[in-house]
Amino acid sequence: LKDCGKNLFNCMTNFFDTTIHTNMLKPTIEILLLLSKTHPDQFKQNFEDYIDRIIGWRLDENLKEHINSAIGKSFTKFGPFWVSLPSFCSSLLLNFINDIFHLSETEKNRRSPPAKLYRYLYCISDVIY
């Protein structure tokens, strides 16, 4: 079962790297949630990679709202992994702050904040919650 799990985790990583079909993201996240419960040790080894990829999708301005919502809810369901990797969490939040700073600098002449800024704030909120 462990070998099968390794292959499945590799397939999930490959899927995130190559997918262009956003309608597959919600079922993929559901599979990740299931794997996090059934194979927590293997999942933890891949957690940072999955979160990086999921956040990339969460920040996509063209992603449908129901998929964005599912992504946001998944962050809270990964609670034990966030707690077990505090340095990753700190680094991730620092990256968010830096990205927001750079985004605000490049968009400072706009009258209203760019939509991407709101995406970052929603993502931070999801992770912290």
Side-chain angles (χ1 to χ4, degrees):
L1 188 59
K2 278 189 175 184
D3 290 336
C4 179
K6 274 187 178 181
N7 289 334
L8 188 54
F9 284 104
N10 289 336
C11 287
M12 298 304 291
T13 300
N14 290 336
F15 172 80
F16 274 120
D17 288 341
T18 60
T19 189
I20 56 171
H21 300 288
T22 58
N23 60 337
M24 294 301 297
L25 287 175
K26 191 172 177 182
T28 302
I29 290 170
E30 290 171 6
I31 291 170
L32 288 176
L33 289 167
L34 179 63
L35 289 173
S36 74
K37 292 177 183 171
T38 58
H39 294 67
D41 292 335
Q42 285 180 300
F43 184 83
K44 184 178 177 181
Q45 294 172 12
N46 297 286
F47 179 72
E48 294 177 28
D49 289 334
Y50 293 147
I51 291 299
D52 283 341
R53 288 167 173 86
I54 292 170
I55 286 173
W57 284 106
R58 178 73 168 101
L59 296 174
D60 185 343
E61 296 174 26
N62 299 313
L63 202 60
K64 294 178 182 173
E65 190 51 41
H66 75 279
I67 297 172
N68 254 326
S69 178
I71 290 172
K73 290 176 184 174
S74 74
F75 289 147
T76 60
K77 294 178 182 175
F78 292 132
F81 301 98
W82 292 112
V83 171
S84 69
L85 297 164
S87 62
F88 171 66
C89 297
S90 299
S91 174
L92 182 64
L93 291 175
L94 182 61
N95 288 341
F96 279 145
I97 292 168
N98 286 333
D99 289 346
I100 289 171
F101 174 77
H102 291 296
L103 182 62
S104 67
E105 284 295 308
T106 59
E107 302 286 334
K108 64 183 168 188
N109 294 329
R110 291 178 61 150
R111 289 183 181 214
S112 62
K116 190 150 189 129
L117 177 61
Y118 290 112
R119 292 278 183 206
Y120 275 100
L121 295 175
Y122 290 139
C123 201
I124 290 171
S125 174
D126 291 339
V127 170
I128 292 173
Y129 180 70

